[in-house]
Amino acid sequence: MNKPVILTGLRANNQLHLGNYLGAIQPMVNLQSTHAGEYQLNMFIPDLHSFTTPIDHKQLYRQVIDSLKIFVAAGLDINNPDTFIYRQSYIPAHSELTWILDCFTYFGEASRMIEFKDKSTKAGSDTVSVGLFNYPVLMAADILLYDAKFVPVGEDQKQHLELVRNLATRFNSKFDKDIFTLPEPWDKQMEFSNRDSGLRIRSLRHPDSKMSKSVEDPAGTIMLNDDPELAAKKVMNAETDSIGSIHLDWEKQPGISNLLQILASLSSRKLTEVAAEWEGKSSYGELKKQVAEQVIHFLQNLQTKLSTINEGEIVKKLESDEVAMTKVANAKLLEAQKAVGLRE
Ligand code: TRP
């Protein structure tokens, strides 16, 4: 019997920061240990998705490898026989199935995707690419090629997951055959991965928005390759408020709440527990000091591990998994090609 597939895609278009680590990398690494033996874990880098928004193309190839090194430093065990790592662009079936699915996706439904609407409104339709519009269909191919059942994604991807389910249902019923496996709906995904959908690490300087890549907000963002002392300074300079006593309250005290969240995540404790410990105290400086210490400790550890990672081993594993997954993907692609009449 094949094991049920858990599939996660982590974009590697920029250097990674603490928000990426705690929000996406850590939960993914945890999936491997909490579901050891029972599931297959497909952990891929959607590199074709990387330039649906502008990036530095000269960096992309390196960035993919560097991100994988960070996953391994974070604890991802690439020798686990149920874990497969691969790059989307190395398996052409992703692109080929996307075209087929495109022809069964309605312009209206794709236009309703919130992420597309948001980004295209900001950029204007003469600078926004068809690639961004088509992004969720490529995502559908990523998922459907491998019969993935579990695709734990954040709230921002909920609507895309729903589209994937709709496309799979439409295709199966048009051709009267169970070609594609439907991934579970989003709330089931959350339940399954035991993921805290509310986990959003905020910028240290602008705690009303998410932590994001450094060029936009260097002082508010802790990059994983930051010098630990510099990162500690960023924490000490974090924006707080003038209320003067500590409460977990994302509305009124987003800066303080963010510090509590970082402290809890880095020490693997519950946010409520950490918040209770600090509740009502007036020592913002003391809180910052503790967070800064945790950040230093975390970065030193990660960076030390990173320096011992054998890149050659990762590339070897990638290449062999890409061969194995190409077979799986091609078999599914062939079923779809037969259904639409391209193959006998
Ligand atoms: N769209 C996802 C994101 O931005 C990345 C992604 C691409 C993905 N293909 C996927 C996630 C397939 C899960 C499954 O985070």
Side-chain angles (χ1 to χ4, degrees):
M1 253 319 270
N2 288 339
K3 296 178 177 175
V5 175
I6 308 173
L7 182 137
T8 76
L10 275 185
R11 289 220 269 170
N13 13 346
N14 301 112
Q15 290 198 337
L16 298 163
H17 55 69
L18 186 67
N20 300 130
Y21 188 92
L22 296 174
I25 301 172
Q26 193 76 280
M28 179 195 73
V29 171
N30 289 343
L31 274 180
Q32 195 180 38
S33 49
T34 49
H35 297 291
E38 303 154 64
Y39 296 89
Q40 175 178 319
L41 182 64
N42 280 28
M43 227 225 63
F44 79 104
I45 306 275
D47 53 353
L48 291 169
H49 274 115
S50 288
F51 45 94
T52 54
T53 48
I55 58 157
D56 181 352
H57 293 266
K58 285 198 226 66
Q59 303 284 338
L60 179 59
Y61 184 84
R62 251 339 291 172
Q63 196 52 58
V64 170
I65 304 288
D66 286 346
S67 298
L68 282 161
K69 284 169 74 174
I70 288 176
F71 301 164
V72 175
L76 186 82
D77 172 16
I78 57 170
N79 296 316
N80 180 317
D82 294 324
T83 296
F84 295 88
I85 58 171
Y86 53 93
R87 293 160 289 191
Q88 183 187 42
S89 73
Y90 281 70
I91 304 183
H94 288 248
S95 305
E96 295 182 40
L97 183 61
T98 299
W99 175 258
I100 294 177
L101 293 174
D102 268 336
C103 300
F104 297 89
T105 306
Y106 303 129
F107 188 82
E109 72 185 336
S111 309
R112 283 192 291 275
M113 294 296 118
I114 295 163
E115 192 172 314
F116 173 74
K117 282 205 293 194
D118 282 355
K119 288 192 180 146
S120 58
T121 316
K122 264 187 221 150
S125 64
D126 278 335
T127 48
V128 80
S129 74
V130 174
L132 184 67
F133 182 68
N134 203 18
Y135 175 119
V137 186
L138 177 57
M139 188 165 159
D142 297 339
I143 295 169
L144 299 175
L145 280 172
Y146 303 94
D147 288 321
K149 196 90 191 138
F150 297 104
V151 185
V153 286
E155 181 125 38
D156 57 330
Q157 299 295 319
K158 187 175 173 177
Q159 199 188 17
H160 294 162
L161 188 67
E162 219 27 63
L163 176 73
V164 175
R165 288 168 50 83
N166 289 339
L167 286 179
T169 309
R170 184 177 308 150
F171 198 91
N172 287 348
S173 73
K174 176 160 178 80
F175 298 104
D176 199 18
K177 231 174 151 191
D178 280 336
I179 295 170
F180 297 127
T181 301
L182 261 64
E184 295 285 349
W186 186 79
D187 45 349
K188 283 265 172 52
Q189 304 287 353
M190 284 291 120
E191 231 176 86
F192 172 78
S193 59
N194 206 353
R195 190 152 134 171
D196 180 0
S197 63
L199 182 65
R200 280 266 183 285
I201 304 295
R202 313 281 184 94
S203 156
L204 295 168
R205 295 301 304 165
H206 309 283
D208 287 321
S209 38
K210 271 207 309 194
M211 189 175 277
S212 61
K213 64 180 180 183
S214 65
V215 278
E216 287 160 12
D217 182 20
T221 307
I222 293 177
M223 301 306 296
L224 296 180
N225 59 1
D226 268 353
D227 171 54
E229 293 300 332
L230 171 73
K233 284 207 187 93
K234 292 182 184 176
V235 173
M236 295 310 292
N237 291 326
E239 178 79 23
T240 52
D241 55 64
S242 53
I243 293 175
S245 94
I246 296 173
H247 308 283
L248 177 64
D249 184 336
W250 291 103
E251 292 286 309
K252 295 202 191 87
Q253 299 188 271
I256 288 290
S257 303
N258 193 36
L259 290 172
L260 291 169
Q261 174 74 76
I262 294 172
L263 188 59
S265 300
L266 287 181
S267 54
S268 306
R269 291 166 67 201
K270 283 215 164 69
L271 175 59
T272 46
E273 191 189 308
V274 172
E277 205 178 282
W278 288 87
E279 173 63 29
K281 293 191 179 159
S282 58
S283 43
Y284 286 13
E286 192 51 39
L287 175 62
K288 285 183 177 177
K289 226 174 100 198
Q290 278 210 18
V291 176
E293 276 165 20
Q294 283 286 343
V295 165
I296 290 178
H297 179 72
F298 162 75
L299 286 179
Q300 279 173 346
N301 255 336
L302 183 74
Q303 291 171 4
T304 307
K305 274 199 209 124
L306 206 52
S307 66
T308 68
I309 301 294
N310 182 337
E311 188 173 313
E313 248 172 56
I314 297 183
V315 173
K316 229 170 88 191
K317 166 75 172 163
L318 264 180
E319 288 171 351
S320 88
D321 284 356
E322 281 157 3
V323 171
M325 288 300 115
T326 295
K327 285 197 188 122
V328 176
N330 282 351
K332 185 58 75 179
L333 175 65
L334 182 61
E335 281 184 64
Q337 288 171 324
K338 283 182 178 165
V340 299
L342 292 170
R343 297 288 184 274
E344 261 215 305

